[in-house]
Amino acid sequence: MKYREGEPIRDTKAPEGPIEERWEKRKFAARLVNPANKRKLSVIVVGTGLAGGSAAATLGELGYQVTSFCYQDSPRRAHSIAAQGGINAAKNYRGDGDSIYRLFYDTVKGGDFRARESNVYRLAQVSVNIIDQAVAQGVPFAREYGGLLDTRSFGGAQVSRTFYARGQTGQQLLLGAYQALERQIAAGTVTMHARHEMLELIVSDGRARGVVVRDMVTGEIESHLADAVVLATGGYGNVFFLSTNAKGCNTTAIWRAHRKGALFANPCYTQIHPTCIPVSGEYQSKLTLMSESLRNDGRVWVPLRKGDTRPPAAIPDDERDYYLERIYPAFGNLVPRDIASRAAKNVCDEGRGVGPGGLGVYLDFADAITRLGREAVEEKYGNLFEMYERITGEDPYAQPMRIYPAVHYTMGGLWVDYDLQSTVPGLFVVGEANFSDHGANRLGASALMQGLADGYFVLPATIGDYLADARDFGPVNEVSVAEAEIAVRDRIHRLLSVDGDRTADSYHRELGKLMWDYCGMERTEASLTKALERIPELREEFWRKVKVSGTNEELNQALERAGRVADFFDLAELMCLDALHRTESCGGHFRAESQDADGEALRDDEHFAYVAAWEHAPEGPVLHREDLAYEYVTMSQRSYK
Amino acid sequence: MNLTLKIWRQHSPDEPGQMVKYHVKDVSPDMSFLEMLDVLNEGLILAGDDPVAFDHDCREGICGMCGMVINGVAHGEQKATTTCQLHMRHFKDGDVVTIEPWRAAPFPVIKDLVVDRSAFDRIIQAGGFVSVPAGAAPDAHAVPVPKGDADDAFDAATCIGCGACVAACPNGSASLFTGAKITHLGSLPQGRPERASRAKTMVEQMDLEGFGGCTNTGECTAVCPKGISLDVIARMNADFLKASR
Amino acid sequence: MAVTGAILVLFLVGHMVGNLKTFAGPEAFNGYALWLREVGYPLVPKRGLLTLVEVVLVAAVVLHIWSAVALYRRAAAARPVRYATRRRSQAGGYVVHIMRWGGVTIALFVVYHLLDLTFGVANPAGGAATPYTRMIEGFSRWYVTLFYAVAVIMVGLHLRHGLWSAFQTLGLARGRQGLRVFAALLSAVLVLGFLSVPFAIMIGVVK
């Protein structure tokens, strides 16, 4: 796949000046819409997770006419609900030296110097308000006996800044946003369409003015128009088929927007989470994450000897390799996600993996149980142990857990400026769907923070500036609506009329395996080149041989899936291209060619300190670079030894 | 193992449905129940048949989207487990497994095992929230919350809104769901100003949706994947009576 | 349901205490029966208070049954399409069977009970005999005693859930396990109290 270089791109919205004043400055400069006019302005929000749910609720509360869509049967089910660990905020309630600046610093560093300083600083500033907002909504965060909020340290942070609600922080925060959204629905400011999937973006006279959706119950293709469109449709980890994402998570909404002119930034940045339950068979439909907190007390090991198939208990201590403790004595089992993941891959590649297919490592609690007692371990991790046993049928108190890395989060997404506006005027992108804030690697407990920051605080403050001109937008061009609808109908018709002999799922599985093998934890020029050959072949076969049963005019889950897989093919190609062009290693992108003598990721700041924003063009992708400047945090190589 | 499945098939809300028999072969004990259905569906699609429609999303027991009545028990017989977390090792070769949708008038069948649970959303709309615009919140530490209250609130807040309580209730009541939200918000100081009105409007909406009355049979809590306690129903009744006075 | 049930429970407690007068001999028991009719006289006419109580009781029974029927109809409306497989109870199935079918059994028993001991129509000693004689004669037949025992135990089981359920419905029961124990204990006391008389008659302690 060929690409060409385009003009560099610049974020024109972030103000200059001292970093701590930029957000205030931007908010003050942003024009306001008077309340009477807000009622006449309409906004479409697609997706109802933390970002979309909070955005729709807040915009509704502000007085805009909001129309919201989700593919699930209720906005409460968006996959933000599955986040376990917690949410970071620079509250410094512990007095342990945390501050907005420190959270900013940690996040820029954790993102391996591939995120914008202005954005990250704002995120850290706003984090404080999120906790206040959530508590006021009745989110039941963990508390201490004195009645104050409890926090813990998470993901290797040296301060205790992670607020949590047992192992269900995402669920509780999402329910808070969902309830705020339902309140607005009752008030009539938000109209909700559940079981509707966005299949096309309507761009009229250069502005995003609506979406084409399919009613997943009746199959009806509907166009909805508005003055602005907000995409909050989450990440695209399901391009790997197996991931910790929900089954329905897909790239269609952002991919369609990309095809309509929105730049796609850093698609190759993929976060692989080290502690997931390994694959048990060919039929596997998804992977389940075990909270990272397990690494606080569990010890990771594999047999010292290759091909050692003895049961774990029969392997004496001196024939075990506690490889994280061996390689990273300072951080041991607590090294960041990307490092722990790659280390697991390496030992499995050496043939020392355990469990079916040799794709697993032990996470052993025997020492913790001896040291703390079974009761204390049960108290801390009881629900996780139960979950593990439910899925694997093995008792983690009696034998070590088996874990393996799995795709968890995608840092890449649609390019947005400081206002969260994409390169298509009027198209805003929030949450995991955009690329901002996390750089090349996301720190634990930062996803919830970003989603809610975008939805509750950033977007509602910036979208007004765009909508202040809405009077000049004029009516939506009917031709663009008709074209978008026709494109949707054509695609559906094509999918239904192939009538081949392979299911969409089987293609998805094959694509996922290909991506995992060639564009997964470790990427090489050879593997990526190979992937770029295979993907078009597979896609061509898909369009020739896929079998989708049923019709459009009904609830048709086979059709839904086929449409999503079709877009995953195109995205996969761009991911591989992005990964191939970025010959450095950084964060969630590890190029085997770019490592230091110890096998650690080696960044190339001289050549790659930029955001790669890809434009869709008929003759092939066009690369626009946005240079990253670091005024506050000095670029340095991460070390966890 | 090989299994015989008897599954409720209903093409659309208005058409009549029936139980249809299928055979699935070589089911691995490590499969989840939904993965077993995936395998069945792959076969049906290739044969040009309509795959069995069922709701599911996260497949890790938290989104509340999946749910079917398996052998007469909502989410199957494993305690505190959603359908997606039920694994085939709990079945044995030759078993006949019946699979039906949630049955309740306020949960009309859309297709096969998919039902419309929007009644739950409307109950939340009626008052299942704290009215606080973004940015209007005081500092999170402004009001300390006794740990006991916070824990009570959390226990109730773990509800995933799957609807198993309604499916299992001989009366088709939604009291456990409604009570859980009333208890969650009512236990916290932040939710107290609207406590009485919330209970009243939510209970009224619940009745309006056509759910049955609660007779405290305990069937709901027995199948609840999150083990929500019947106490939330007492709490709902207390708040409702107080509001009605 | 809870309110009418509470009235009936109060009645049952009084009824049981009255029954225990049997152990004090025929005079005391008949005197108690007479007192019931004359209490408050001459402030209120004879049988005045008794009639009032009877009216309240009949109303409570009617409303209790009416509520049950209403609940049943609501339940039926809430599940117009039944499960093809018999719904398997996960809570022991106790409540559904005891409350619904137990309730019907109890209603039938009450009819017989009134005919037997109140109006004497179904009693070997006839309506003209003293209450004490009617009782002794009534319980001299083993099958009557057996039927009575079954019904009383059914009442006990009905109450064990009914009482606690009433606490739930009135919003009193939240988290208080004590109320569950109280419901079970009171039910047990009532059952024992009611059964003591016929069994005493049967084994000849009371003649």
Side-chain angles (χ1 to χ4, degrees):
Chain A
M1 194 182 200
K2 289 270 185 297
Y3 72 91
R4 69 184 166 83
E5 295 269 347
E7 290 296 303
I9 187 171
R10 216 165 61 79
D11 175 10
T12 54
K13 303 280 180 48
E16 306 277 311
I19 198 160
E20 57 276 6
E21 289 168 17
R22 289 180 193 168
W23 179 225
E24 273 312 314
K25 252 179 164 170
R26 178 63 197 138
K27 278 196 288 186
F28 187 73
R31 288 164 298 164
L32 299 174
V33 180
N34 90 51
N37 286 344
K38 276 187 190 142
R39 278 195 291 277
K40 295 178 208 147
L41 297 174
S42 54
V43 181
I44 283 171
V45 181
V46 187
T48 58
L50 285 179
S54 60
T58 310
L59 294 174
E61 179 95 48
L62 284 173
Y64 296 108
Q65 278 179 51
V66 179
T67 311
S68 175
F69 299 91
C70 69
Y71 72 77
Q72 298 91 342
D73 74 325
S74 162
R76 67 179 292 151
R77 311 214 192 274
H79 199 53
S80 305
I81 203 145
Q84 297 171 356
I87 177 167
N88 287 333
K91 279 286 196 186
N92 192 27
Y93 279 158
R94 296 264 170 188
D96 58 0
D98 198 13
S99 63
I100 287 169
Y101 195 87
R102 189 177 294 280
L103 176 55
F104 154 70
Y105 177 89
D106 287 352
T107 307
V108 168
K109 182 175 170 227
D112 222 358
F113 301 94
R114 292 295 176 263
R116 289 184 193 140
E117 280 190 334
S118 296
N119 281 54
V120 177
Y121 196 89
R122 174 178 66 188
L123 178 66
Q125 280 176 308
V126 168
S127 70
V128 176
N129 307 98
I130 297 172
I131 301 300
D132 298 341
Q133 179 67 18
V135 165
Q137 285 174 339
V139 170
F141 284 120
R143 285 180 186 267
E144 295 176 325
Y145 283 98
L148 299 180
L149 293 165
D150 193 15
T151 52
R152 58 185 175 196
S153 78
F154 199 78
Q158 287 158 309
V159 290
S160 185
R161 67 159 76 98
T162 305
F163 295 78
Y164 66 100
R166 292 190 206 159
Q168 285 129 280
T169 317
Q171 179 197 27
Q172 293 309 320
L173 288 169
L174 181 65
L175 292 181
Y178 158 73
Q179 286 159 204
L181 177 62
E182 292 295 338
R183 175 168 161 256
Q184 293 306 315
I185 294 170
T189 59
V190 178
T191 310
M192 182 72 223
H193 298 276
R195 292 193 194 275
H196 278 67
E197 183 165 23
M198 171 183 157
L199 296 178
E200 198 54 89
L201 179 72
I202 296 171
V203 180
S204 161
D205 301 324
R207 293 179 189 278
R209 293 299 299 273
V211 292
V212 180
V213 295
R214 178 173 178 271
D215 179 330
M216 293 156 78
V217 174
T218 63
E220 199 172 328
I221 306 298
E222 307 164 359
S223 289
H224 293 261
L225 305 179
D227 296 304
V229 176
V230 180
L231 297 187
T233 53
Y236 48 87
N238 270 352
V239 68
F240 292 90
F241 187 74
L242 290 180
S243 80
T244 64
N245 285 5
K247 286 296 286 175
C249 293
N250 66 81
T251 190
T252 293
I254 56 172
W255 191 255
R256 293 286 118 203
H258 172 60
R259 308 254 320 185
K260 283 284 171 86
L263 301 193
F264 204 123
N266 301 331
C268 78
Y269 292 161
T270 313
Q271 181 162 81
I272 316 269
H273 199 289
T275 50
C276 300
I277 300 176
V279 175
S280 66
E282 273 302 303
Y283 45 79
Q284 188 99 21
S285 63
K286 81 150 271 154
L287 295 170
T288 304
L289 181 91
M290 302 295 294
S291 170
E292 193 160 29
S293 62
L294 288 170
R295 287 199 280 144
N296 287 333
D297 285 302
R299 296 180 69 194
V300 178
W301 65 275
V302 289
L304 203 55
R305 202 156 44 76
K306 191 175 156 177
D308 188 344
T309 52
R310 286 176 291 173
I315 302 179
D317 218 40
D318 57 353
E319 291 178 45
R320 299 176 177 189
D321 179 12
Y322 293 91
Y323 59 90
L324 287 178
E325 297 168 24
R326 175 171 59 80
I327 308 172
Y328 307 101
F331 278 71
N333 294 298
L334 292 174
V335 291
R337 292 176 177 178
D338 49 343
I339 291 178
S341 295
R342 214 165 45 247
K345 177 186 159 42
N346 290 341
V347 295
C348 291
D349 287 351
E350 291 164 17
R352 299 196 285 146
V354 297
L359 292 176
V361 299
Y362 289 126
L363 180 61
D364 200 335
F365 288 86
D367 284 1
I369 291 170
T370 318
R371 181 164 42 92
L372 308 165
R374 182 180 160 130
E375 240 169 66
V377 171
E378 213 170 308
E379 165 107 3
K380 264 175 142 167
Y381 306 115
N383 55 340
L384 293 167
F385 278 37
E386 269 170 42
M387 183 163 94
Y388 181 82
E389 185 166 5
R390 215 176 285 141
I391 292 172
T392 62
E394 295 170 3
D395 176 9
Y397 292 103
Q399 64 187 94
M401 285 184 179
R402 286 175 300 110
I403 54 162
Y404 198 64
V407 173
H408 180 54
Y409 188 91
T410 47
M411 279 73 68
L414 294 184
W415 186 92
V416 289
D417 61 18
Y418 192 68
D419 281 3
L420 303 181
Q421 187 167 208
S422 73
T423 45
V424 176
L427 179 69
F428 293 78
V429 190
V430 294
E432 192 180 346
N434 73 25
F435 89 107
S436 71
D437 301 10
H438 303 302
N441 177 49
R442 179 176 66 73
L443 289 182
S446 285
L448 304 184
M449 173 170 69
Q450 185 225 335
L452 290 178
D454 286 0
Y456 280 132
F457 299 107
V458 180
L459 179 80
T462 58
I463 200 170
D465 187 61
Y466 173 78
L467 289 171
D469 292 328
R471 263 174 308 174
D472 308 329
F473 291 174
V476 178
N477 184 341
E478 278 172 35
V479 177
S480 58
V481 177
E483 274 174 4
E485 279 191 26
I486 288 168
V488 168
R489 284 182 214 280
D490 277 357
R491 273 163 55 82
I492 290 172
H493 179 72
R494 262 181 83 196
L495 286 168
L496 285 168
S497 51
V498 175
D499 198 27
D501 55 10
R502 266 187 79 178
T503 62
D505 253 20
S506 80
Y507 280 106
H508 193 178
R509 213 177 269 279
E510 190 173 342
L511 173 69
K513 176 136 191 356
L514 200 146
M515 288 298 284
W516 179 248
D517 289 343
Y518 299 142
C519 189
M521 267 185 283
E522 186 176 295
R523 297 138 179 202
T524 64
E525 187 177 345
S527 74
L528 293 164
T529 313
K530 174 104 181 144
L532 283 169
E533 274 166 33
R534 273 300 288 145
I535 293 167
E537 289 168 15
L538 197 61
R539 175 176 47 207
E540 185 273 332
E541 190 194 316
F542 170 86
W543 281 105
R544 202 159 39 78
K545 292 176 74 174
V546 72
K547 171 92 178 177
V548 182
S549 53
T551 64
N552 175 55
E553 285 71 33
E554 62 180 325
L555 192 158
N556 187 341
Q557 292 172 329
L559 176 63
E560 292 162 17
R561 277 183 213 165
R564 294 169 192 166
V565 176
D567 287 330
F568 276 133
F569 275 116
D570 296 350
L571 166 75
E573 211 175 2
L574 188 65
M575 282 174 77
C576 291
L577 182 70
D578 186 43
L580 183 64
H581 112 281
R582 191 173 282 276
T583 54
E584 65 159 354
S585 295
C586 62
H589 168 63
F590 185 79
R591 280 290 296 265
E593 299 91 339
S594 179
Q595 47 183 310
D596 64 17
D598 297 326
E600 300 301 334
L602 193 63
R603 277 200 331 262
D604 176 358
D605 293 332
E606 196 192 330
H607 298 102
F608 287 100
Y610 63 80
V611 174
W614 298 91
E615 179 191 345
H616 177 81
E619 69 281 3
V622 182
L623 172 65
H624 300 270
R625 298 166 201 250
E626 180 199 337
D627 283 327
L628 293 166
Y630 291 87
E631 299 170 54
Y632 290 85
V633 188
T634 323
M635 288 174 120
S636 62
Q637 204 71 27
R638 293 189 304 164
S639 172
Y640 294 93
K641 294 226 162 158
Chain B
M1 66 181 106
N2 300 329
L3 298 173
T4 303
L5 306 177
K6 289 184 183 168
I7 305 178
W8 180 261
R9 301 304 309 263
Q10 178 174 347
H11 195 72
S12 71
D14 313 320
E15 291 170 66
Q18 56 177 341
M19 299 297 280
V20 177
K21 206 188 267 186
Y22 299 93
H23 297 281
V24 281
K25 292 203 175 98
D26 303 325
V27 174
S28 155
D30 288 327
M31 277 181 181
S32 73
F33 198 83
L34 299 186
E35 283 165 351
M36 185 271 295
L37 290 179
D38 287 343
V39 171
L40 170 74
N41 277 344
E42 291 284 287
L44 289 176
I45 293 172
L46 288 181
D49 291 335
D50 205 10
V52 179
F54 62 90
D55 265 335
H56 65 103
D57 204 24
C58 78
R59 296 208 179 186
E60 48 188 285
I62 194 76
C63 75
M65 188 120 167
C66 68
M68 35 194 98
V69 173
I70 300 164
N71 287 337
V73 182
H75 287 309
E77 255 182 292
Q78 281 311 99
K79 291 279 172 214
T81 302
T82 54
T83 303
C84 63
Q85 293 285 283
L86 176 65
H87 280 69
M88 297 313 293
R89 65 182 72 94
H90 301 294
F91 296 82
K92 51 184 196 306
D93 189 45
D95 275 358
V96 177
V97 183
T98 61
I99 309 173
E100 298 176 74
W102 291 166
R103 291 284 186 210
F107 288 171
V109 171
I110 294 173
K111 183 176 181 178
D112 299 339
L113 305 171
V114 177
V115 299
D116 177 356
R117 283 170 292 199
S118 53
F120 272 9
D121 291 328
R122 290 188 292 275
I123 292 175
I124 298 296
Q125 277 162 34
F129 46 74
V130 176
S131 302
V132 49
D139 185 86
H141 268 181
V143 185
V145 181
K147 187 165 164 46
D149 290 351
D151 287 348
D152 283 352
F154 188 90
D155 288 339
T158 55
C159 169
I160 56 174
C162 63
C165 46
V166 175
C169 178
N171 303 310
S173 168
S175 291
L176 197 70
F177 169 81
T178 310
K181 189 47 64 192
I182 288 172
T183 302
H184 160 207
L185 297 176
S187 302
L188 295 168
Q190 289 82 6
R192 245 159 240 164
E194 293 167 291
R195 182 166 158 190
S197 62
R198 174 184 307 123
K200 195 159 187 316
T201 51
M202 286 180 75
V203 168
E204 282 166 0
Q205 185 64 36
M206 172 174 82
D207 291 346
L208 204 66
E209 295 288 346
F211 291 103
C214 174
T215 57
N216 302 305
T217 64
E219 298 288 345
C220 50
T221 184
V223 299
C224 175
K226 299 295 155 186
I228 307 268
S229 148
L230 281 187
D231 290 346
V232 303
I233 298 179
R235 184 72 181 251
M236 169 179 81
N237 288 331
D239 285 3
F240 179 76
L241 289 175
K242 210 168 162 191
S244 309
R245 235 179 262 149
Chain C
M1 207 99 226
V3 174
T4 52
I7 294 171
L8 295 172
V9 169
L10 286 178
F11 160 72
L12 282 178
V13 171
H15 185 1
M16 186 203 73
V17 171
N19 282 10
L20 293 180
K21 289 248 174 197
T22 311
F23 293 105
E27 293 77 23
F29 187 77
N30 289 336
Y32 160 70
L34 190 66
W35 172 81
L36 284 180
R37 281 162 181 75
E38 298 189 345
V39 65
Y41 182 78
L43 277 166
V44 289
K46 282 191 183 179
R47 276 196 66 86
L49 278 181
L50 185 63
T51 308
L52 183 70
V53 169
E54 280 170 351
V55 168
V56 170
L57 281 178
V58 169
V61 168
V62 169
L63 287 175
H64 198 70
I65 294 174
W66 181 79
S67 309
V69 171
L71 269 172
Y72 176 77
R73 291 172 60 129
R74 256 184 85 183
R79 183 159 296 135
V81 183
R82 309 193 69 82
Y83 288 109
T85 325
R86 213 182 134 80
R87 199 184 51 77
R88 296 231 307 278
S89 172
Q90 296 298 293
Y94 172 85
V95 173
V96 187
H97 298 117
I98 289 299
M99 299 319 278
R100 205 168 277 170
W101 301 115
V104 172
T105 314
I106 293 165
L108 289 176
F109 165 73
V110 167
V111 171
Y112 171 78
H113 186 56
L114 291 174
L115 291 177
D116 180 16
L117 296 180
T118 306
F119 303 115
V121 184
N123 189 283
T130 64
Y132 190 79
T133 314
R134 265 182 279 165
M135 185 168 65
I136 299 288
E137 289 295 319
F139 287 129
S140 305
R141 296 163 297 168
W142 66 267
Y143 53 89
V144 170
T145 309
L146 181 70
F147 178 40
Y148 182 89
V150 167
V152 164
I153 289 171
M154 197 63 102
V155 169
L157 295 177
H158 193 88
L159 281 189
R160 186 179 139 207
H161 175 72
L163 268 171
W164 176 76
S165 182
F167 292 138
Q168 276 277 107
T169 305
L170 298 175
L172 302 169
R174 37 179 217 266
R176 296 181 185 128
Q177 282 304 313
L179 287 177
R180 224 180 239 272
V181 177
F182 171 75
L185 271 182
L186 182 62
S187 307
V189 166
L190 281 172
V191 168
L192 290 177
F194 277 118
L195 287 186
S196 64
V197 175
F199 276 95
I201 294 172
M202 209 172 75
I203 59 172
V205 178
V206 174
K207 293 189 181 106

